[in-house]
Amino acid sequence: MAALRYAGLDDTDSEDELPLGWEQRTTKDGWVYYANHTEEKTQWEHPKTGKRKRIAGDLPYGWEQETDENGQVYFVDHINKRTTYLDPRLAFTVDDNPTKPTTRQRYDGSTTAMEILEGRDLTGKVVVVTGANSGIAF
């Protein structure tokens, strides 16, 4: 296992495996986010897959969600009489990626540039919108 890491390879074939120093957490309303303890920042997208996730379904039988004095959500397992800050539903998350238009999607002459660019991640990109029906370049 250590040899694989030394070689720059993961020791698992799971794409959902988090890199070293990362933690998966949930919000009160069931959205999953990721904490990078190395860089001390959080993000909504999985660091490897780029997918957004949310919790699917209710808490298991015998579990309850509570909030501590600091506003942190924790979970009570009444059957085994224990508490945890780890959401027991994390094993049952579902992808929540909005569908984005593909680059091959066709638009008619009345489609605006804003409609075409809506939902696209343009971070670090320059977009050139030309007049009439000439086109859009990324």
Side-chain angles (χ1 to χ4, degrees):
M1 305 276 185
L4 288 174
R5 270 203 199 106
Y6 180 77
L9 302 172
D10 291 331
D11 59 356
T12 179
D13 60 356
S14 172
E15 70 175 15
D16 286 333
E17 186 78 22
L18 291 171
L20 193 63
W22 286 81
E23 178 186 0
Q24 182 172 287
R25 297 180 179 173
T26 57
T27 63
K28 291 179 184 179
D29 54 349
W31 291 101
V32 177
Y33 68 99
Y34 302 91
N36 179 340
H37 295 290
T38 306
E39 297 181 18
E40 297 182 353
K41 63 180 185 177
T42 60
Q43 64 188 48
W44 293 109
E45 296 81 17
H46 189 283
K48 283 188 175 179
T49 65
K51 296 178 181 175
R52 289 181 180 228
K53 295 187 176 225
R54 60 182 167 80
I55 298 294
D58 297 326
L59 286 168
Y61 175 78
W63 286 78
E64 181 180 9
Q65 179 175 313
E66 294 289 336
T67 306
D68 68 14
E69 62 276 355
N70 297 321
Q72 290 277 34
V73 174
Y74 69 96
F75 301 89
V76 180
D77 177 356
H78 292 290
I79 295 172
N80 296 306
K81 298 181 178 16
R82 62 186 179 136
T83 62
T84 179
Y85 284 93
L86 197 62
D87 191 323
R89 301 169 294 177
L90 279 174
F92 306 103
T93 58
V94 294
D95 292 346
D96 191 70
N97 286 335
T99 57
K100 296 178 183 177
T102 64
T103 54
R104 294 182 183 196
Q105 184 171 352
R106 299 192 186 270
Y107 299 95
D108 63 19
S110 64
T111 306
T112 66
M114 290 305 292
E115 290 172 319
I116 295 171
L117 297 174
E118 182 179 5
R120 294 183 187 266
D121 181 14
L122 301 173
T123 306
K125 296 181 181 175
V126 175
V127 177
V128 178
V129 180
T130 59
N133 292 337
S134 300
I136 297 176
F138 298 56

Coordinates of all heavy atoms in Angstrom, one line a residue, residues 64-68 72-76 78:
E64 N -31.3 9.9 15.2 CA -31.9 11.3 15.3 C -30.8 12.3 15.0 O -29.6 12.1 15.4 CB -32.4 11.4 16.7 CG -33.1 12.7 17.0 CD -33.6 12.8 18.4 OE1 -33.3 12.0 19.3 OE2 -34.3 13.8 18.7
Q65 N -31.2 13.4 14.4 CA -30.2 14.5 14.1 C -30.4 15.6 15.2 O -31.6 16.0 15.4 CB -30.5 15.0 12.7 CG -29.6 16.2 12.3 CD -29.8 16.6 10.9 OE1 -29.9 15.8 10.0 NE2 -29.9 17.9 10.7
E66 N -29.3 16.0 15.7 CA -29.4 17.1 16.7 C -28.3 18.2 16.4 O -27.5 18.0 15.5 CB -29.1 16.5 18.1 CG -30.1 15.6 18.7 CD -31.4 16.3 19.1 OE1 -31.4 17.5 19.4 OE2 -32.4 15.6 19.1
T67 N -28.4 19.3 17.1 CA -27.4 20.4 16.9 C -26.8 20.7 18.3 O -27.5 20.9 19.2 CB -28.1 21.6 16.3 OG1 -28.8 21.2 15.1 CG2 -27.1 22.7 16.0
D68 N -25.5 20.8 18.3 CA -24.8 21.1 19.6 C -24.8 22.6 19.8 O -25.3 23.4 19.0 CB -23.4 20.5 19.6 CG -22.4 21.1 18.6 OD1 -22.7 22.2 18.1 OD2 -21.3 20.5 18.4
Q72 N -23.1 22.8 15.4 CA -22.7 21.7 14.6 C -23.7 20.6 14.7 O -24.3 20.3 15.7 CB -21.3 21.1 15.1 CG -20.2 22.0 14.8 CD -19.7 21.8 13.4 OE1 -20.4 21.6 12.5 NE2 -18.4 22.0 13.3
V73 N -24.0 20.0 13.5 CA -25.0 18.9 13.5 C -24.3 17.6 14.0 O -23.1 17.3 13.6 CB -25.5 18.7 12.1 CG1 -26.4 17.4 12.0 CG2 -26.3 19.9 11.6
Y74 N -24.9 16.8 14.8 CA -24.4 15.5 15.2 C -25.6 14.5 15.2 O -26.8 14.9 15.0 CB -23.7 15.6 16.6 CG -24.6 15.8 17.8 CD1 -25.1 14.7 18.5 CD2 -24.9 17.1 18.1 CE1 -25.9 15.0 19.6 CE2 -25.7 17.3 19.2 CZ -26.2 16.3 20.0 OH -27.0 16.5 21.1
F75 N -25.3 13.3 15.3 CA -26.3 12.2 15.1 C -26.3 11.3 16.3 O -25.2 10.9 16.9 CB -26.0 11.4 13.8 CG -26.0 12.3 12.6 CD1 -24.9 13.0 12.2 CD2 -27.2 12.6 12.0 CE1 -24.9 13.8 11.1 CE2 -27.3 13.4 10.9 CZ -26.1 14.0 10.4
V76 N -27.5 11.0 16.8 CA -27.7 10.1 18.0 C -28.2 8.8 17.5 O -29.2 8.7 16.9 CB -28.7 10.8 19.0 CG1 -28.9 9.9 20.2 CG2 -28.2 12.2 19.3
H78 N -29.8 5.9 19.0 CA -30.5 5.5 20.3 C -30.4 4.0 20.5 O -30.4 3.6 21.7 CB -32.0 5.9 20.2 CG -32.1 7.4 20.3 ND1 -31.9 8.2 21.4 CD2 -32.5 8.3 19.3 CE1 -32.1 9.4 21.1 NE2 -32.5 9.5 19.8

